[in-house]
Amino acid sequence: KQEVTQIPAALSVPEGENLVLNCSFTDSAIYNLQWFRQDPGKGLTSLLLIQSSQREQTSGRLNASLDKSSGRSTLYIAASQPGDSATYLCAVRGNTPLVFGKGTRLSVIA
Amino acid sequence: NAGVMQNPRHLVRRRGQEARLRCSPMKGHSHVYWYRQLPEEGLKFMVYLQKENIIDESGMPKERFSAEFPKEGPSILRIQQVVRGDSAAYFCASSPPTGGEANEQFFGPGTRLTVL
């Protein structure tokens, strides 16, 4: 059974810092991995999708990497801004449609 | 191209009533997924449907919950005889018919169900 873990559970950083969010999964037989952003009381916004054959994806200040063999992904956020404050969710697609981690709650302090 | 639409956005029911949650997928998408987010917990997969077919319902509670995706109209998640433990945010996602399991899922804004 696939399990997804995100570390840390919460993170507070000053504005301008670069930061890394971690995601690990137990079953490496995945089709893809998605990173989402969720604001309080809101839906999910897809940030990046990495297919199993890919090593990384970039979008603006965001870069996500995937090491399928070790069951790890990282989301790198450059030059963080207060508007980046949200919960970041990692989800993997294998035999079950999307297994989610519990998320990392990020606060960027101005 | 409108995104995934869900209604209602907020739903209040008393214990024992029925709740019906609707999801209209993105245009051209024929695969629909339902997820539930309980307070202070992660999102959990419930059911995966294609038009007129349930593909995977391994995450659905065995009783009171059902889902359908008819040939015409939105997908419906139905909860009979709701209990307080059903209070949660219910999210729908859709993906296109080609590409299989590698497809990206696009999420709707969710329906927040409160059971009094």
Side-chain angles (χ1 to χ4, degrees):
Chain A
K1 178 185 169 187
Q2 180 72 270
E3 292 184 3
V4 179
T5 303
Q6 290 189 245
I7 294 173
L11 181 63
S12 183
V13 300
E15 181 178 7
E17 269 203 11
N18 303 324
L19 57 102
V20 174
L21 308 181
N22 297 291
C23 172
S24 62
F25 47 96
T26 55
D27 185 351
S28 61
I30 64 170
Y31 293 102
N32 58 47
L33 182 146
Q34 275 185 266
W35 282 94
F36 295 88
R37 168 185 172 139
Q38 185 175 29
D39 293 282
K42 305 289 186 182
L44 278 69
T45 301
S46 181
L47 299 173
L48 290 163
L49 170 74
I50 311 177
Q51 299 293 355
S52 62
S53 59
Q54 297 174 323
R55 294 300 300 259
E56 66 177 337
Q57 283 285 342
T58 297
S59 176
R61 294 183 294 108
L62 305 179
N63 175 276
S65 68
L66 174 64
D67 183 342
K68 204 173 77 159
S69 60
S70 67
R72 295 180 188 276
S73 176
T74 61
L75 179 66
Y76 175 82
I77 302 176
S80 58
Q81 303 170 357
D84 294 331
S85 298
T87 296
Y88 290 80
L89 300 170
C90 165
V92 297
R93 176 66 156 108
N95 290 326
T96 301
L98 287 186
V99 178
F100 282 84
K102 291 190 175 182
T104 293
R105 190 164 55 251
L106 173 65
S107 297
V108 181
I109 311 301
Chain B
N1 186 7
V4 178
M5 301 178 68
Q6 291 187 248
N7 68 80
R9 298 288 305 275
H10 300 273
L11 182 61
V12 179
R13 285 288 178 266
R14 296 191 181 280
R15 281 179 297 168
Q17 291 184 319
E18 179 180 286
R20 279 182 178 244
L21 288 63
R22 295 175 185 76
C23 169
S24 297
M26 288 179 68
K27 187 176 180 181
H29 287 192
S30 59
H31 297 196
V32 165
Y33 312 80
W34 285 93
Y35 296 85
R36 177 167 66 173
Q37 187 173 38
L38 292 166
E40 304 304 321
E41 291 193 22
L43 278 90
K44 304 285 187 191
F45 165 72
M46 298 181 75
V47 62
Y48 165 29
L49 309 104
Q50 295 178 18
K51 286 282 188 181
E52 300 184 282
N53 283 307
I54 296 175
I55 306 303
D56 182 349
E57 57 181 349
S58 59
M60 286 281 269
K62 293 290 185 282
E63 298 177 345
R64 304 187 296 109
F65 285 72
S66 62
E68 63 175 4
F69 189 16
K71 188 176 179 182
E72 301 291 338
S75 174
I76 306 286
L77 179 67
R78 182 182 178 208
I79 311 172
Q80 296 178 289
Q81 299 176 316
V82 297
V83 301
R84 288 217 174 101
D86 297 333
S87 296
Y90 291 83
F91 291 95
C92 168
S94 73
S95 65
T98 56
E101 290 84 356
N103 276 335
E104 183 174 3
Q105 295 181 27
F106 296 85
F107 279 74
T111 293
R112 278 153 184 83
L113 172 65
T114 301
V115 179
L116 301 178

